[in-house]
Amino acid sequence: MDSRLSTFLLAASCMTFQIPASACTGITLKSKDGSTIAARTIEWAESVMKTMYVVVPQKHELQSLTPSGKDGLKFKAQHGFIGLAVEQEEFIVEGINEKGLSAGLFYFPNYGKYPSYDATQKDKSLSDFQLVSYVLAECSSLDEVKEALSDVRVINIDPRSSTVHWRFTEPSGKQMILEIVNEVMHFYDNPLGVFTNSPGIEWHWTNLNNYINLQPGTLPEHNFGPLEMKSFGHGSGLLGLPGDFTPPSRFVRATFFQLTAPQQPDARRSVIQAFHILNNFDIPTGSEQPWGKASADVPSATQFTVASDTQNRMIYYRTMYNSSIRCIDLKAIDFNKVRYHTKPLDEIKEQPIEMITIK
């Protein structure tokens, strides 16, 4: 096994074998102008992840890693795309292509199960870490995603790694979830647009029935016999909203915040709104660690947040080091000429602070 693959396997097993990685939260906002914003967080509390964006031009050749080396499925990019990767440039966790198709993976521990790796079928074996790249390279719609994956064997490159599940969003606003359970692919339409981690998406939809009492605003006064009851403050309609960071609780909160958010007139304002909503899922590092075990070098368990404008083909991100929102406009890139390259999300790992001069 070559050293580069060994490094990748080590990074993959460390990131997916431990529970703190399982805290990504996704929402979807639709603007009055018809644009759709697919936004999400990326969490990891153990250490500072190496994060980067990857520019993949048209006709760039890619190949999947397998347990035996870089000898899996080969594919050539039909569409150029921008991907946000962690640890290795191959591990793209979220991205968008020049056709406006968005794709991202979310951890799915203990519930998914892929087919076992079969070396005799390595030419159609695709690492789960590279499925986002494959879809963005090959597809422009949800129907094409299903077709492209119909003859692909999705595998783990390390048996210790957690499984993942995926979210795909097309410019029309339609969204689809893929979960591989008991070695079988299951596709689900996702009109709600919320996504987290385990259990499966159908379980999360059912669980929402436990929270039909939630409503925005402040409840009216109510008498308990001779006692007159009044709300202590605003937001009493939210009593019972779960506040912990487990996937089921984050799913409920994300659903409520998304559904009660006023619809914005255009994509840009929806992007800003998405980042504000996802502020509620910015997880403090110490909350994910035992007492006294949190690293002071990790500013946040939420290492970066990303939003994709599928209609206007733009991807936005901010990081735990820099709260400023940065944007890559795919329309400004000539994917026939641009070279394949990667660049860190943060050149300087320090939050800029603007000093205000008082005269």
Side-chain angles (χ1 to χ4, degrees):
M1 183 183 296
D2 62 64
S3 60
R4 193 162 179 265
L5 179 60
S6 298
T7 301
F8 185 90
L9 290 174
L10 178 60
S13 63
C14 288
M15 288 181 59
T16 59
F17 190 64
Q18 303 196 38
I19 293 300
S22 307
C24 304
T25 303
I27 61 173
T28 309
L29 298 178
K30 296 186 178 182
S31 313
K32 291 180 181 179
D33 66 359
S35 56
T36 299
I37 307 302
R40 52 89 59 88
T41 64
I42 301 287
E43 272 78 26
W44 175 244
E46 295 289 336
S47 60
V48 174
M49 288 195 298
K50 181 181 179 182
T51 60
M52 68 206 80
Y53 66 77
V54 184
V55 181
V56 181
Q58 293 176 10
K59 300 180 182 179
H60 183 76
E61 294 186 349
L62 298 159
Q63 185 166 21
S64 177
L65 292 159
T66 72
S68 56
K70 193 171 183 179
D71 57 2
L73 177 69
K74 292 181 179 179
F75 54 102
K76 183 182 293 187
Q78 304 301 311
H79 312 298
F81 64 92
I82 300 292
L84 272 58
V86 294
E87 295 303 316
Q88 299 279 151
E89 62 190 64
E90 293 92 344
F91 185 13
I92 292 178
V93 296
E94 187 74 24
I96 184 172
N97 68 18
E98 60 181 325
K99 297 298 183 180
L101 182 70
S102 165
L105 67 81
F106 292 64
Y107 286 103
F108 190 43
N110 305 319
Y111 285 84
K113 183 181 179 182
Y114 309 141
S116 298
Y117 176 61
D118 179 355
T120 66
Q121 301 188 69
K122 64 182 181 181
D123 60 338
K124 63 177 183 177
S125 294
L126 177 66
S127 160
D128 58 352
F129 296 111
Q130 294 166 279
L131 187 145
V132 168
S133 295
Y134 177 70
V135 164
L136 294 178
E138 295 282 336
C139 307
S140 61
S141 68
L142 301 188
D143 288 340
E144 289 184 10
V145 172
K146 289 182 181 180
E147 177 65 26
L149 293 174
S150 61
D151 195 37
V152 168
R153 289 175 58 87
V154 178
I155 61 166
N156 264 332
I157 57 173
D158 188 316
R160 297 170 296 173
S161 299
S162 164
T163 53
V164 299
H165 53 180
W166 297 265
R167 177 182 74 170
F168 312 104
T169 310
E170 66 180 20
S172 71
K174 291 182 180 179
Q175 189 175 101
M176 182 174 70
I177 303 301
L178 167 61
E179 296 178 342
I180 303 177
V181 179
N182 293 327
E183 303 183 11
V184 177
M185 289 186 180
H186 299 273
F187 293 96
Y188 303 93
D189 291 332
N190 188 24
L192 179 61
V194 175
F195 200 40
T196 58
N197 313 105
S198 299
I201 189 66
E202 290 187 306
W203 185 97
H204 285 292
W205 290 334
T206 301
N207 184 51
L208 290 177
N209 288 285
N210 288 316
Y211 300 93
I212 59 173
N213 61 295
L214 294 177
Q215 56 183 297
T218 302
L219 296 176
E221 297 178 4
H222 181 70
N223 292 338
F224 282 3
L227 300 178
E228 184 177 310
M229 299 295 157
K230 298 180 180 180
S231 298
F232 286 122
H234 294 294
S236 56
L238 295 177
L239 288 172
L241 184 72
D244 61 82
F245 294 123
T246 62
S249 294
R250 287 184 286 105
F251 193 97
V252 173
R253 287 206 308 285
T255 297
F256 188 84
F257 296 150
Q258 177 181 298
L259 292 178
T260 57
Q263 188 178 32
Q264 298 298 315
D266 53 45
R268 184 180 180 86
R269 296 186 204 186
S270 290
V271 167
I272 301 300
Q273 184 177 63
F275 279 103
H276 280 299
I277 291 173
L278 291 175
N279 283 339
N280 294 278
F281 303 91
D282 192 350
I283 302 176
T285 305
S287 66
E288 295 252 305
Q289 304 284 6
W291 288 106
K293 299 296 183 180
S295 171
D297 295 328
V298 183
S300 172
T302 302
Q303 301 218 357
F304 64 91
T305 304
V306 55
S308 293
D309 176 354
T310 59
Q311 188 176 70
N312 297 299
R313 290 166 286 159
M314 304 174 82
I315 187 167
Y316 301 76
Y317 71 90
R318 70 178 182 204
T319 72
M320 63 180 178
Y321 287 114
N322 189 340
S323 298
S324 297
I325 299 172
R326 286 155 277 177
C327 177
I328 301 173
D329 185 351
L330 276 72
K331 300 187 302 300
I333 302 171
D334 185 343
F335 284 101
N336 272 311
K337 297 180 179 179
V338 71
R339 64 181 177 84
Y340 176 94
H341 66 278
T342 68
K343 191 172 183 180
L345 294 189
D346 291 298
E347 295 285 0
I348 300 173
K349 294 184 177 180
E350 184 175 348
Q351 174 64 48
I353 298 176
E354 180 183 359
M355 297 301 297
I356 303 298
T357 302
I358 305 298
K359 295 183 180 179

